[in-house]
Amino acid sequence: MRIALLCLFFGLSTFSYGETIDVEYASFYSHVKKLQDENTQALRFAFGFKHIVKPGLCEVLTAKIVTQKQTLPLVVEGNYRFTVPTDKILKMAKALVLVDIEDQANQCDMSVQLETKPQYLSVHYSDTDLEYLLKQYQAFFNDMGGIFSFMMPEVDGLVFHFDSSTVLSDSQLGRVKDNRLTLNLAQIKAKPELDFPVKPIRITASIEK
């Protein structure tokens, strides 16, 4: 089964009151620390909250990291996701991530998405660019599997996500569905370069189990 968008869900002990969710920073750190190798330096984890009743993410208004000594505001992006720094000191300080949401807290479950960093979003990709991004995702899953990497899902391509107003040519670029362009390994290898009318809003891996 192909999964164009990678979302990892994990159980957290959260405390909610009103429209604020408190999450231990250590829960985020356990993810972001996995991307410290140069083989995965183009990737990041984007965090959000998936609505358990209706499609899509819960609306995140603000997010911040709080310790006894400081408060660090986090940038909430247009898709209601945010990133956190990789800082062991925050983990040792037992920092909390406070997230204000528009929805009811008990309607939202943590969602973690693996995607490329914003600086790798462009209107033009050479064959070298595509191969580089592909290898980043492959390295991540190989590292996560270790000696059992053969049991991990395999990356079989890249998925380019676009704004709903973007018009793409299905026949020219590959398989376009719901504003997502999926290129498998063969298509990436066969196409020396790729040009888009606008930058994608994110790039994720296409996974085949």
Side-chain angles (χ1 to χ4, degrees):
M1 179 180 67
R2 295 176 184 274
I3 302 177
L5 179 63
L6 173 66
C7 283
L8 306 174
F9 296 95
F10 58 95
L12 298 173
S13 175
T14 62
F15 302 90
S16 60
Y17 43 91
E19 298 174 337
T20 300
I21 298 177
D22 300 0
V23 185
E24 293 181 355
Y25 170 79
S27 299
F28 296 91
Y29 181 78
S30 66
H31 284 75
V32 296
K33 71 176 182 179
K34 298 172 182 175
L35 300 177
Q36 297 305 294
D37 191 278
E38 65 177 7
N39 293 328
T40 56
Q41 63 182 357
L43 307 180
R44 70 174 189 174
F45 281 113
F47 301 93
F49 291 86
K50 183 176 177 62
H51 204 287
I52 64 175
V53 177
K54 58 186 179 182
L57 297 178
C58 295
E59 183 177 346
V60 175
L61 303 176
T62 63
K64 57 189 175 184
I65 298 176
V66 178
T67 70
Q68 291 184 343
K69 296 183 178 181
Q70 61 180 332
T71 297
L72 304 173
L74 301 174
V75 175
V76 178
E77 300 177 358
N79 61 342
Y80 302 130
R81 289 190 182 274
F82 57 91
T83 60
V84 301
T86 306
D87 192 336
K88 191 173 183 179
I89 294 178
L90 290 175
K91 177 179 178 291
M92 296 174 63
K94 300 185 183 301
L96 290 176
V97 178
L98 305 186
V99 183
D100 293 324
I101 59 173
E102 182 68 23
D103 301 88
Q104 295 180 4
N106 62 4
Q107 298 288 301
C108 305
D109 284 343
M110 178 67 76
S111 167
V112 187
Q113 179 171 266
L114 181 65
E115 60 185 33
T116 58
K117 293 178 179 178
Q119 57 264 43
Y120 293 93
L121 302 178
S122 175
V123 296
H124 175 79
Y125 291 91
S126 66
D127 57 342
T128 302
D129 297 330
L130 295 173
E131 184 69 17
Y132 173 74
L133 296 180
L134 189 63
K135 286 184 176 180
Q136 291 277 304
Y137 283 109
Q138 291 171 332
F140 173 81
F141 284 99
N142 287 337
D143 290 344
M144 290 302 97
I147 62 174
F148 299 104
S149 59
F150 64 92
M151 300 177 61
M152 294 292 288
E154 293 186 3
V155 177
D156 75 334
L158 297 172
V159 185
F160 298 82
H161 303 254
F162 293 88
D163 183 85
S164 59
S165 62
T166 304
V167 177
L168 299 175
S169 172
D170 201 354
S171 61
Q172 291 292 322
L173 298 176
R175 179 164 59 84
V176 179
K177 182 179 181 181
D178 298 329
N179 299 104
R180 298 193 298 268
L181 169 67
T182 302
L183 295 179
N184 60 35
L185 298 178
Q187 290 169 322
I188 292 174
K189 184 176 181 180
K191 195 168 186 61
E193 59 182 27
L194 198 60
D195 290 289
F196 296 122
V198 296
K199 290 182 181 180
I201 56 177
R202 73 185 61 86
I203 303 172
T204 58
S206 176
I207 307 298
E208 183 174 282
K209 289 187 177 180

